């Protein structure tokens, strides 16, 4: 990993690179990667329908950030949020069943890939309106602040959201009220198929956050330890009462935007270049070099992930569909109301 | 000259619609420490219609929160706070401005319970002004509550009386789901006796109300049009026509039973709606009457709506665009096969 992250980070952001912790990071990265690959297969088999947005290439962002969060913290995510659910603790079974649209999915089959929710793990969705999650995160943090609860709301969004009005409104309001929000920009350089340079007059997103009075930094989003160290710095500052914090994670999406994307907007060479920075082999190589990973460790990990994944697929296959008779459930809390 | 003076007339305490809304907010803030108010100019300014005057001094800046001009974000923040255990009241200056927050309301507040498979409720109340009559032209005067009444997952209220202005907020805050309250701008100065505690306590947010009994025609309306509709009923009475007046109160979910029972008794219906006619709430009510009470009708359902024009500034044009007492009388007479009086 990068040299600076092995040093104690200022403000308590130190990552303890113990064997156990590194293995936990690797395990989550593998779980997300293998899950996403399997979803792509299941999509071609028409087991999963609708829009499917995969996270390959961006795993280090969620895994690194979540390593810095506590169970009491809240997460708001986008429509590319399988990783947040899996890493925060939603079972792979419940996430896969949701992909299939089954009743035992984490949203009861009513949300699908873009709308994963989990009350127990404080996952407030999968929001498929770009920028729409930011105000909600501000409100979650407002409630925590008003009740004096020590919780951080981690709000994930893409570079595309930084062009939305709600980005500016939310950063301003969170800073004005000094709310405990960690704004996490997953900058993968493309808002669907439009490159950052075609939609932002100034592509320096951290500078934009800084202009609202937020501490802001950019980090290599392909380096899980760098992300975790930065997230720890941010969370420590937020918990100390410094107000919101902005972290831009520079990353890259290896797969298409969704399963309907022919990727006419980017060169193969560019994708190729980024795959050399793939966060997964990067972590594996580093762990090997540092003596933290042996071939049989990796194999055992891969086997465990494969077992978990196949169990989740079998569970989703066998799971029940929500009966059509309950179509209008959960429109209002009073079930008999139209 | 006699030394005897007339005994004092017993005075009933009077109040205004504005004060009733304020009292409802004060009461909610005092009763439940999860309740707080946020919106543009609700604190230091006292509310753009002076509804929240004095509340900042009484409850402090933690619970009376002036927000930046960012309708979408402070509405979304209301959703987040509601998801996380609070009972926020969000004030949006006018329904026209609420369009800047429509994404949060329609894509967020209304969908979260369903999308999450029943895991997350959004106990949020959003109040806003609606309607024309103050010569505020085409970006402050529209009646778009019918748009929100289209959306499953929302409850839509239109308090037309002082009692409802005073009584609807508390049950709205108790509702686990999002509730939008539309306060007509022409009602804020309406005066009347102060509603007593028992009356306020009895206010529900589920039923329509019969505001006047009649036998010949049912006039169905809500919000700012209730006054004109009652005036029209008086005028019809002088003409020998007995008009019933139904105040919908709740625009979603509609209290069909009250509407249909009035129509079945009077066999004629006029819907009075300040919204535009095309794709309107009046169209929905008319269609439901046709669906369920067609064979009870002696005449086609009539509608009186605003002219299909962005609301103009000049007073005579604005008034010409709105449903008038005369137009309501005319429509009611039409259902009885009568021409102009």
């Amino acid at each position: 990993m990068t040299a600076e992250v092995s040093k104690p980070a200022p403000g308590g952001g130190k990552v303890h690179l113990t064997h156990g912790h590194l293995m936990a990071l690797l395990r989550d990265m593998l779980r997300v990667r293998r899950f996403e690959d399997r979803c792509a297969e299941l999509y071609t088999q028409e087991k999963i329908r609708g829009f499917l947005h995969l996270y390959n290439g961006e795993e280090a962002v969620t895994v690194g950030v979540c390593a810095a969060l506590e169970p009491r913290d809240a997460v708001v995510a986008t429509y590319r949020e399988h990783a947040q659910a899996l890493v925060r603790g939603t079972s792979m079974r419940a996430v896969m069943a949701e992909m299939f649209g089954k009743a035992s999915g984490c949203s009861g089959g009513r949300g699908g890939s873009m709308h994963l929710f989990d009350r127990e793990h404080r996952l407030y969705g999968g929001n498929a309106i770009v920028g729409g999650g930011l105000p909600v995160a501000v409100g979650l943090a407002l409630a925590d602040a008003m009740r004096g609860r020590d919780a951080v709301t981690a709000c994930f969004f893409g570079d595309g959201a930084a062009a939305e009005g709600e980005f500016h409104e939310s950063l301003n309001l969170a800073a004005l009220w000094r709310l405990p929000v960690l704004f996490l920009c997953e900058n993968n350089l493309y808002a669907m198929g439009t490159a950052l340079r075609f939609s932002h007059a100034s592509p320096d997103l951290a500078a934009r956050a800084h202009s609202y009075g937020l501490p802001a930094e950019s980090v290599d989003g392909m380096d899980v330890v760098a992300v975790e160290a930065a997230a720890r710095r941010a969370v420590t500052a937020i918990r100390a009462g410094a107000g919101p914090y902005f972290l831009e994670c520079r990353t890259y999406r290896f797969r298409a935007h969704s399963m309907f994307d022919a990727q006419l907007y980017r060169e193969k060479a560019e994708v190729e270049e980024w795959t050399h920075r793939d966060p997964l082999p990067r972590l594996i190589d580093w762990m090997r070099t540092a003596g933290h990973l042996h071939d049989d460790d990796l194999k055992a990990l891969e086997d465990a992930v494969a077992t978990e994944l196949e169990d989740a697929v079998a569970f989703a296959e066998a799971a029940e569909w929500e009966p059509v008779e309950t179509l209008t459930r959960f429109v209002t809390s009073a079930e008999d109301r139209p | 000259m006699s030394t005897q003076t007339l005994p004092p007339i017993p005075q009933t305490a009077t109040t205004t619609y504005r004060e009733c809304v304020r009292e409802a907010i004060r009461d909610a803030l005092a009763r439940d420490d999860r309740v707080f108010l946020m919106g543009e100019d609700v604190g230091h300014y006292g509310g753009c219609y002076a509804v929240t005057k004095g509340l900042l001094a009484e409850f402090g800046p933690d619970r009376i929160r002036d927000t930046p001009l960012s309708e979408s974000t402070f509405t979304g923040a209301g959703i987040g706070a509601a998801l996380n255990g609070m009972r926020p009241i969000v004030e949006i200056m006018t329904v026209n401005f609420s369009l800047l927050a429509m994404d949060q309301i329609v894509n967020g507040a209304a969908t979260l319970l369903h999308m999450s498979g029943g895991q997350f409720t959004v106990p949020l109340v959003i109040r806003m002004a609606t309607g024309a009559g103050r010569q505020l032209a085409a970006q402050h005067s529209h009646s778009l509550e019918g748009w929100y009444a289209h959306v499953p997952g929302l409850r839509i209220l239109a308090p037309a009386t002082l009692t409802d202005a005073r009584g609807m907020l508390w049950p709205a805050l108790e509702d686990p789901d999002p509730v939008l309250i539309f306060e007509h701008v022409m009602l804020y100065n309406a005066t009347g006796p102060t509603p007593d505690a028992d009356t306020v306590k009895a206010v529900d947010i589920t039923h329509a109300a019969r505001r006047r009994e009649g036998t010949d025609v049912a006039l169905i309306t809500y919000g700012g049009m209730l006054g004109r509709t009652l005036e029209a009923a008086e005028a019809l009475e002088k003409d020998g026509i007995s008009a019933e007046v139904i105040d919908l109160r709740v625009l979603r979910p509609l209290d069909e039973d009250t509407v249909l029972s009035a129509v079945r008794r009077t066999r004629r219906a006029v819907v009075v709606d300040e919204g535009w006619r095309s794709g309107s709430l009046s169209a929905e009510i008319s269609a439901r009457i046709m669906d369920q009470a067609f064979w009870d009708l002696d005449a086609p359902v009539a509608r009186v709506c605003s002219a299909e024009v962005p609301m103009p500034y000049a007073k005579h044009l604005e008034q010409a665009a709105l449903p008038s007492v005369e137009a309501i009388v005319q429509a009611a007479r039409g259902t009885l096969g009568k021409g102009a009086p």
Side-chain angles (χ1 to χ4, degrees), chain A residues 11-32:
Chain A
K14 186 175 167 60
V15 180
H16 296 286
L17 295 178
T18 61
H19 175 74
H21 185 62
L22 287 163
M23 287 300 281
L25 293 176
L26 177 58
R27 175 175 169 271
D28 274 338
M29 302 256 291
L30 275 173
R31 288 174 75 233
V32 175

Side-chain angles (χ1 to χ4, degrees), chain B residues 198-271:
Chain B
D198 289 342
T199 315
V200 168
K201 213 174 164 185
V203 168
D204 72 49
I205 54 169
T206 47
H207 293 101
R210 193 198 298 180
R211 299 295 185 197
R212 189 182 197 280
E213 290 187 33
T215 52
D216 296 328
V217 58
L219 309 179
I220 301 155
T221 190
Y222 68 90
M225 286 294 110
L226 177 62
R228 288 181 181 201
T229 305
L230 286 165
E231 268 184 65
E234 294 295 326
L236 288 162
E237 189 72 57
K238 288 182 190 126
D239 224 14
I241 297 169
S242 165
E244 175 141 327
V245 175
I246 300 296
D247 170 8
L248 291 170
R249 300 180 68 249
V250 186
L251 309 186
R252 184 184 185 95
L254 280 170
D255 174 9
E256 281 186 5
D257 291 347
T258 300
V259 170
L260 293 172
S261 109
V263 172
R264 289 194 176 111
R265 272 184 288 104
T266 59
R267 309 182 73 84
R268 295 167 197 89
V270 178
V271 187

Side-chain angles (χ1 to χ4, degrees), chain A residues 162-184:
Chain A
E164 293 278 2
E166 285 175 327
F167 169 88
H168 302 268
E169 295 182 1
S170 295
L171 264 61
N172 179 52
L173 189 58
L176 182 71
W177 289 351
R178 298 176 72 83
L179 298 176
V181 187
L182 173 51
F183 290 104
L184 292 152

Side-chain angles (χ1 to χ4, degrees), chain A residues 36-63:
Chain A
E36 297 295 62
D37 286 341
R38 193 78 167 88
C39 283
E41 274 174 46
L42 291 162
Y43 197 87
T44 59
Q45 294 164 23
E46 303 194 358
K47 297 288 184 187
I48 300 174
R49 306 306 295 154
F51 284 141
L52 178 68
H53 309 91
L54 300 173
Y55 203 62
N56 300 54
E58 305 185 34
E59 294 90 342
V61 177
T62 289
V63 173

